[in-house]
Amino acid sequence: MSAQVGRLTWGTIGAGEVAQAVARHAVRAGHEVVLSNSRGPESLESIVAAIGPGASAGTVAQAAEADLVLLAVPWTAVPAALRGLPRRDGRIVIDATNQMASITQEPVIDDLGDQTGSELVASLVPGARVIKAFNTLYGRYIAPDPRHDAGRQLLFYAGDDLAAKSLFHDVVHGFGFAPVDIGRLREGGRLMQVGGGPLSALHALRQDFQ
């Protein structure tokens, strides 16, 4: 059973296909969204206008002050995107990245050894509560209404902070997804990780509407 969530603020670091898809869901659910990218707010005017009321453009620092911060940039851009963010203990960061060192015709997966991608992200945002989510789904599957005739789109997530995960669960349940907690960042993140995680690129429906 999911609780009803009041109005929250979302910030996106990155404004590509995944960030825009999540932003649209958030706005439709009554939340406010600040989108940001490396090129500055002026470059996002047309995107914000297309999403509509409830969406605005800001700097990365402004987006990072939201209740929920979605990190959705190419893997190679992660360090620069997070560099210089003021520390804010308790910040909830939703890591939607995949550790692709190259996305050419033959993608190259960044070898992190025993570390998961989200553990590395967590090391770059000390004090933050990191949740891994949205990385297993292509943007074109995130964007539509997740409620289908056959059920709801499954959305896997992992994290180490129970309160942050509970809030995330209730928020995305409100979007219409069927959220599934698969554990901590280390174990759950590995299940979702590109290049071997069995849940990577798995698109499935839950056959209920509860």
Side-chain angles (χ1 to χ4, degrees):
M1 184 71 68
S2 297
Q4 187 171 3
V5 178
R7 191 173 193 178
L8 298 171
T9 56
W10 280 75
T12 76
I13 300 177
E17 185 178 21
V18 170
Q20 291 178 45
V22 175
R24 289 178 188 276
H25 285 302
V27 166
R28 281 194 288 264
H31 306 299
E32 295 183 2
V33 181
V34 178
L35 294 102
S36 74
N37 64 12
S38 61
R39 297 184 299 279
E42 297 79 11
S43 68
L44 297 170
E45 290 179 358
S46 62
I47 291 173
V48 166
I51 294 174
S56 63
T59 64
V60 170
Q62 288 169 332
E65 289 302 308
D67 298 316
L68 298 162
V69 182
L70 178 73
L71 177 65
V73 298
W75 179 251
T76 54
V78 167
L82 298 178
R83 188 177 300 124
L85 283 185
R87 176 170 178 143
R88 197 180 98 209
D89 289 345
R91 172 188 280 137
I92 298 177
V93 174
I94 301 157
D95 175 24
T97 66
N98 281 305
Q99 68 277 20
M100 304 294 292
S102 171
I103 53 174
T104 57
Q105 286 187 335
E106 295 190 16
V108 177
I109 299 171
D110 197 1
D111 184 1
L112 302 179
D114 194 42
Q115 190 178 43
T116 65
S118 285
E119 287 176 305
L120 178 59
V121 167
S123 74
L124 299 175
V125 279
R129 298 179 287 171
V130 175
I131 296 171
K132 187 74 170 180
F134 291 113
N135 69 300
T136 65
L137 301 173
Y138 291 112
R140 64 180 180 271
Y141 291 107
I142 298 173
D145 189 335
R147 293 160 290 206
H148 303 271
D149 289 343
R152 291 178 294 147
Q153 176 71 59
L154 286 174
L155 179 63
F156 302 106
Y157 66 97
D160 297 338
D161 187 281
L162 294 179
K165 288 201 294 185
S166 177
L167 176 63
F168 177 79
H169 177 284
D170 291 344
V171 170
V172 296
H173 185 277
F175 291 176
F177 288 97
V180 179
D181 181 355
I182 57 171
R184 298 178 64 84
L185 277 185
R186 187 164 187 79
E187 295 79 22
R190 198 172 302 284
L191 293 174
M192 291 188 284
Q193 192 152 273
V194 67
L199 301 181
S200 179
L202 174 65
H203 299 82
L205 299 179
R206 177 171 178 170
Q207 294 181 310
D208 69 55
F209 292 89
Q210 302 302 314

